[in-house]
Amino acid sequence: MAGTPPVAELLFGEADATPFSTDETTVKPWDQARACLESAPKAWLSTVRPDGRAHAMPVLLVWVDDAPWITTRPSSRKAKNLAHNAHCVITVAAETLDLVVEGDAVRARDEATLHRVSAAFKAKYEWELAVRDGSVYEDGLPGSPEYGFYRVTPTRAYGYGADGMTATRWRFG
């Protein structure tokens, strides 16, 4: 994803007979979507259970190394689902843009990355996490619960304007 901007295009064409705009000038730049993800106080993560049922939960999100990152405890349903099937969807609603980001989530284990992501969570949420042995812990809580950081690599994203009439699709490499 780094260095290669996604292809931005109208989501609907003239033949789709939808109420959405087909004006090319309404295509939103990825920078606007990225800023929306970076500033969102929370996002929704949708994953797939091993039996195929959907699962959605709110998550905290930071932007590090040109990608969105989420965190969850390894014993959570989200983490179990991602271990079984990395495909996921992040959704964010903002004042000017609603986003749906499809991608694949991979848990980070290398300490340098964990330190960068931990620093981002501290900067955005004032959440102090300790990195050790390839995992992240919240030492301020009893038992120092473990967390995992997951990088979500977008494969496709959709942005809907606040006007309800504009839609953009971004396709990644």
Side-chain angles (χ1 to χ4, degrees), residues 114-127:
L114 296 177
H115 280 288
R116 284 194 308 281
V117 178
S118 180
F121 275 102
K122 183 175 182 182
K124 184 171 180 180
Y125 299 104
E126 298 181 11
W127 189 16

Side-chain angles (χ1 to χ4, degrees), residues 1 45 61-64 66-70 82 86-90 101-107 149-155:
M1 195 169 115
L45 177 72
L61 181 143
V62 295
W63 192 272
V64 177
D66 206 27
W69 290 76
I70 58 100
L82 292 172
H87 299 312
C88 63
V89 176
I90 294 172
V101 179
E102 298 175 355
D104 295 307
V106 175
R107 185 173 175 183
F149 290 155
Y150 294 80
R151 177 190 176 115
V152 178
T153 301
T155 55

Side-chain angles (χ1 to χ4, degrees), residues 134-154:
S135 287
V136 182
Y137 300 88
E138 186 170 5
D139 289 339
L141 291 178
S144 295
E146 179 184 1
Y147 288 84
F149 290 155
Y150 294 80
R151 177 190 176 115
V152 178
T153 301

Side-chain angles (χ1 to χ4, degrees), residues 52-67:
R53 292 180 299 135
H55 179 261
M57 284 287 161
V59 293
L60 300 179
L61 181 143
V62 295
W63 192 272
V64 177
D65 296 340
D66 206 27

Side-chain angles (χ1 to χ4, degrees), residues 1-132:
M1 195 169 115
T4 306
V7 174
E9 60 194 5
L10 283 169
L11 182 55
F12 300 104
E14 293 287 342
D16 291 315
T18 68
F20 284 95
S21 173
T22 57
D23 180 355
E24 291 282 340
T25 65
T26 66
V27 170
K28 309 283 190 261
W30 177 247
D31 287 346
Q32 182 180 356
R34 176 186 167 154
C36 183
L37 286 167
E38 285 181 282
S39 65
K42 71 177 177 187
W44 287 87
L45 177 72
S46 298
T47 59
V48 181
R49 296 173 189 261
D51 67 5
R53 292 180 299 135
H55 179 261
M57 284 287 161
V59 293
L60 300 179
L61 181 143
V62 295
W63 192 272
V64 177
D65 296 340
D66 206 27
W69 290 76
I70 58 100
T71 187
T72 189
R73 293 184 182 183
S75 61
S76 73
R77 171 50 45 207
K78 297 180 292 290
K80 291 175 183 177
N81 291 348
L82 292 172
H84 176 73
N85 181 344
H87 299 312
C88 63
V89 176
I90 294 172
T91 55
V92 172
E95 197 171 309
T96 60
L97 190 65
D98 293 329
L99 291 172
V100 177
V101 179
E102 298 175 355
D104 295 307
V106 175
R107 185 173 175 183
R109 295 282 190 176
D110 72 278
E111 296 219 356
T113 300
L114 296 177
H115 280 288
R116 284 194 308 281
V117 178
S118 180
F121 275 102
K122 183 175 182 182
K124 184 171 180 180
Y125 299 104
E126 298 181 11
W127 189 16
E128 187 76 41
L129 296 162
V131 175
R132 60 181 175 272

